[in-house]
Amino acid sequence: MNTLRTFALMAAMTALFLGAGYLVGGEAGMAIAFVFALGSNLFAYWNSDKVVLRMYGAEPADEHNAPGLTHLVAQLAQNADLPMPKVYVTDNDQPNAFATGRNPDHAAVCVTSGLLHRCSREELAGVLAHELGHIKHRDTLTMTITATIAGAVSMLANFALFFGAFGGGNNRNNPLGFVGVLLVAILAPFAAMLVQMAISRTREFEADRAGAEISGRPLWLASALDRIERAAEETPNPQANTYPATAHMFIINPLHGRFASLFASHPSTAERIERLNAMAAEMGQAPKPGPWSA
């Protein structure tokens, strides 16, 4: 059901982009938007992981420069019956993490330096297992394509503003004239944000459950989510503020101020923790050290 819902939301995002193109330029605008959406999706399929990692200045981690991290990822990947993903670290004091890549064979997990410094090994295992859950469910492709289309919608909105300011909305191909331009400029980015939020909420809950199953300890992730949210509220993430359309990729919303309210792409952390606590209770678990601390 969740997979079908995600597919429907992705289709809605693409339809939104096509509709925005129609409102700006009529049938010709919709055709151009379709070609651009197709090209954007193809580019995102093959290159989105590289683009996102470059945005955040992520550096590869391996057995030489981060043996503990890579060993932990390898253990969890084996637990999840997944190929070993590439591992990256980005120099960012905010504790956070994300996964990217078009499929499990071409996936990457990226953690911030703040996550490594502020979380225990058990909490780190919980976070990494969550990201592997995204990879296992192929959410990484969904989220990166969503970010690509959302960015394209924002670009189209900017174009609509420019067109309205300097063209007066008098394009004969525009079915609604200046009203259509305003609809695209004002409503399209907001609608894209709502679709992103819906997709992210669905996928985050599923990744929490998958991560808890991969690590075997739901409470590790619950503890990590609480720690990360409290720290993230006090610690800015400059790259995420520069590229807010990527915020939904992180395990906790990395944005602050007005961006946090405009791009509230994550479900309530309290609800996520409550679900994880319930899952732990079903498994008969209480907080205690596990094998990952060895």
Side-chain angles (χ1 to χ4, degrees):
M1 177 62 72
N2 281 329
T3 300
L4 181 61
R5 182 186 178 191
T6 300
F7 179 80
L9 289 168
M10 291 284 290
M13 180 74 88
T14 302
L16 171 65
F17 187 56
L18 297 180
Y22 178 76
L23 289 176
V24 171
E27 293 182 1
M30 185 170 64
I32 293 172
F34 174 77
V35 172
F36 188 79
L38 181 62
S40 297
N41 285 339
L42 288 174
F43 179 84
Y45 180 82
W46 292 107
N47 300 291
S48 58
D49 54 339
K50 303 178 185 68
V51 172
V52 173
L53 292 168
R54 194 176 301 118
M55 285 178 178
Y56 286 89
E59 296 292 337
D62 55 35
E63 294 182 356
H64 300 291
N65 59 15
L69 174 62
T70 53
H71 179 65
L72 186 55
V73 173
Q75 282 185 289
L76 291 165
Q78 184 177 18
N79 235 27
D81 195 25
L82 286 171
M84 175 68 178
K86 294 179 181 178
V87 183
Y88 289 83
V89 176
T90 178
D91 185 16
N92 190 314
D93 193 44
Q94 184 187 85
N96 228 316
F98 66 86
T100 185
R102 62 182 182 270
N103 57 45
D105 291 318
H106 300 86
V109 173
C110 181
V111 301
T112 66
S113 55
L115 185 73
L116 298 177
H117 295 153
R118 301 194 189 197
C119 287
S120 69
R121 189 168 176 79
E122 290 80 11
E123 290 169 337
L124 178 60
V127 171
L128 292 171
H130 169 96
E131 299 306 332
L132 290 175
H134 277 309
I135 293 172
K136 192 175 184 72
H137 292 159
R138 297 177 183 264
D139 295 337
T140 49
L141 177 62
T142 299
M143 291 187 293
T144 49
I145 288 180
T146 300
T148 299
I149 298 178
V153 169
S154 296
M155 288 176 58
L156 189 58
N158 290 334
F159 172 76
L161 281 175
F162 178 86
F163 179 79
F166 295 98
N170 294 321
N171 186 342
R172 71 183 62 181
N173 294 322
N174 186 329
L176 298 181
F178 190 65
V179 174
V181 172
L182 287 178
L183 286 174
V184 173
I186 298 174
L187 297 182
F190 181 73
M193 176 201 69
L194 292 178
V195 176
Q196 273 189 291
M197 288 169 58
I199 292 175
S200 180
R201 285 195 174 97
T202 300
R203 304 327 302 165
E204 288 302 321
F205 283 133
E206 289 298 312
D208 283 348
R209 171 167 286 279
E213 292 171 348
I214 291 169
S215 70
R217 296 287 180 178
L219 294 173
W220 292 352
L221 178 56
S223 176
L225 291 176
D226 179 60
R227 184 185 300 275
I228 293 171
E229 181 173 64
R230 285 186 285 110
E233 290 174 352
E234 304 170 352
T235 311
N237 189 324
Q239 295 99 323
N241 286 330
T242 302
Y243 307 107
T246 64
H248 68 302
M249 297 176 63
F250 285 85
I251 189 170
I252 289 289
N253 188 358
L255 301 177
H256 286 79
R258 63 190 181 92
F259 285 120
S261 59
L262 287 174
F263 292 88
S265 55
H266 290 65
S268 164
T269 301
E271 184 177 357
R272 295 169 69 182
I273 291 173
E274 183 179 352
R275 292 188 182 200
L276 288 166
N277 286 336
M279 188 175 177
E282 291 174 1
M283 299 168 68
Q285 293 180 3
K288 60 182 180 179
W292 309 110
S293 60

